[in-house]
Structure formats: C-alpha cells, structure tokens
Amino acid sequence: EKSEKSNIAFISSEKDIDGLYETRGITNIAYSRLFFYKTLPDIDYVIYSDVDVLFYTDLSEFKNFEYDKYVLGAVKDVNLNRTHLWEERIEKFAHWQKFMKNKCHKYFLSGFLLMNLKKIRETIDENKLQNLLTYEFSFQDQDILNILFEDKNICYLPSKYCTMPKQITANIYNEALEDGILTKQEYDEIFNSPAIYHWAGRKPWNDVYDPNSKIWWDYVIKDKELSKGFIGDYN
C-alpha cells in the first residue's frame, strides 16, 4: 500500500561503476552498493534490498538494531559456506585462495544489507577498494564487500531474511544445518516463517513452469495490478 510518507529518488552512480567487470548476466550496477557512502552523503544508515524479492513481513525489527556497533548487517551465504564447496573454490580460484582462505562459514550475501554509511565513511580504505575493483571476482561486489570488512564489524542476520526457493528444492538448507552454518532455529524460520524470499539467478517472471517460481506467481496472480502485462497460462 502506498504511503504519503514515501518518496522515490533516482541517483546515478555511473561514474563509479562504468566499465567494471560483469559476469553471469549480472550488470555492473551491482557495484553501486559499494559507493552508497558517497552517493548518499547525507544519509548515515540504509536498509538495502535487491529487487528480485518478496517481503513476507515488515522490517520493524530493525528499528532497534544497534547500527552504531557494526559496519554491516548481512545474511550468511549458506550455499558457498558449505565446507566441501568452500574447499573446492579455494583449490579452483586464485582470488579465493588469496582473499577468502579464512572466511569459511563467515561469507555473507549482498542482497539484503543493513549499512552503517557513517562508519563506512570513517573507516573505508579507498585505495584498497579501488584495487579490488580491478579483479574479476566470481561474485563481483559481494566478494569485495566480504574482503573489505572484517568479521568483527559484521552482524550476521537470521537466514530468514534471504530465503531462496531454489535452495529449498535443492536441499541446501538441510546440508547447511548439518554443516553447522545454520542453527536449528534459523532452519525452522526458513521453512515456517520466512521474512524475505530472494530469487538470485533465474527469475520467476521469466519462467512460469520453474518449480521455484510458484511462490512468486502465487503472490502476483492474486493482485490484478501486479499481474498486468504478464502473458501466458498460470495454474
């Protein structure tokens, strides 16, 4: 529901992201997260979210978040943090060997972030950032965020804030629980009370018949305004 208290502003970050490495169909706009501390100079705290999501709850929990204690609040990547997959990447990728060796079970996602822009302005090593931008990282800005900020400055948020349908169907959350990446409480929340569904990778609006699309389509089809423009059968 629209609110009179809401407003929209379009802010360009082209100068900072022009020509940066792109991979897996993700354009360089993803890097704009890295520069919020500059492009939003009058704002100290930001709740950031990717757009390929559904919110299943409000974010009132974060009204009382201790923003001043951390640089970022972020959700762990339950897929990449699995020990066997991490070890494979260490062996396969030189940049993973160089930068990520000690971050297993600590690597976080960039799709939903609580950002302390004030603290970032005070502490960021801009020379290090510019150097990292020259690498062709597998996960682009997400890798850079994980390298830039020490674990002690990260508040790890419950995994319900980045529940991925494709990881449910692939049993990745089960493996993450066994590997100690998830607590039993987090695991139960993902299946019983998810806060945000996130469709990283294949998008549900591009494939009606992908089983991972059902949650999104069930939501959209109930709203005549949201479903306008979509062509094809959906059952």
Side-chain angles (χ1 to χ4, degrees):
E1 187 175 325
K2 295 182 178 66
S3 168
E4 293 180 357
K5 297 180 180 179
S6 300
N7 60 69
I8 297 173
F10 293 93
I11 300 170
S12 174
S13 57
E14 290 180 11
K15 178 181 175 183
D16 294 307
I17 65 175
D18 185 44
L20 295 179
Y21 177 65
E22 298 179 352
T23 185
R24 296 178 295 110
I26 301 172
T27 63
N28 62 9
I29 193 64
Y31 293 95
S32 62
R33 281 175 278 230
L34 300 173
F35 300 101
F36 284 173
Y37 72 98
K38 290 198 301 183
T39 54
L40 302 171
D42 300 321
I43 296 176
D44 288 339
Y45 308 104
V46 163
I47 298 177
Y48 167 85
S49 174
D50 280 358
V51 297
D52 50 354
V53 302
L54 280 180
F55 288 87
Y56 264 58
T57 184
D58 64 37
L59 302 179
S60 57
E61 176 182 347
F62 298 124
K63 284 184 179 179
N64 300 317
F65 182 76
E66 297 177 293
Y67 288 93
D68 288 333
K69 288 182 62 176
Y70 303 98
V71 172
L72 294 175
V75 177
K76 288 183 180 179
D77 188 324
V78 298
N79 179 38
L80 290 181
N81 276 311
R82 289 179 295 162
T83 304
H84 72 90
L85 188 57
W86 194 272
E87 291 173 351
E88 287 176 12
R89 295 188 67 82
I90 288 289
E91 291 183 11
K92 187 175 181 180
F93 298 106
H95 70 268
W96 212 259
Q97 171 71 237
K98 181 175 181 178
F99 295 110
M100 303 294 189
K101 205 168 183 179
N102 299 317
K103 290 185 178 287
C104 186
H105 288 202
K106 300 174 184 177
Y107 183 90
F108 59 84
L109 295 161
S110 60
F112 181 76
L113 298 168
L114 307 181
M115 306 182 76
N116 184 338
L117 302 185
K118 180 181 178 182
K119 191 177 285 288
I120 292 174
R121 290 186 201 105
E122 293 170 353
T123 61
I124 193 165
D125 185 337
E126 292 197 330
N127 289 330
K128 183 176 182 180
L129 171 57
Q130 291 303 318
N131 178 57
L132 291 171
L133 290 170
T134 66
Y135 285 83
E136 295 183 353
F137 288 121
S138 306
F139 297 95
Q140 297 148 291
D141 65 296
Q142 182 170 282
D143 281 350
I144 292 173
L145 284 169
N146 275 273
I147 298 165
L148 271 180
F149 301 115
E150 297 294 327
D151 305 327
K152 64 182 179 181
N153 294 319
I154 308 299
C155 176
Y156 292 102
L157 305 175
S159 286
K160 67 180 181 178
Y161 287 104
C162 195
T163 299
M164 297 189 187
K166 67 179 182 180
Q167 293 185 351
I168 293 175
T169 55
N171 291 319
I172 288 174
Y173 290 117
N174 298 65
E175 292 182 33
L177 179 64
E178 293 174 4
D179 206 6
I181 301 162
L182 288 176
T183 65
K184 182 61 166 62
Q185 179 179 338
E186 284 185 290
Y187 178 86
D188 290 341
E189 287 175 343
I190 286 166
F191 288 92
N192 300 320
S193 55
I196 300 174
Y197 281 110
H198 186 189
W199 282 271
R202 183 181 294 180
K203 307 308 176 191
W205 49 87
N206 290 330
D207 190 348
V208 174
Y209 302 108
D210 183 343
N212 296 319
S213 300
K214 180 171 171 43
I215 295 168
W216 190 85
W217 278 100
D218 283 347
Y219 180 86
V220 170
I221 211 72
K222 293 176 184 176
D223 190 306
K224 291 183 179 179
E225 288 299 315
L226 287 176
S227 58
K228 276 183 180 177
F230 289 105
I231 300 171
D233 297 326
Y234 174 73
N235 297 301

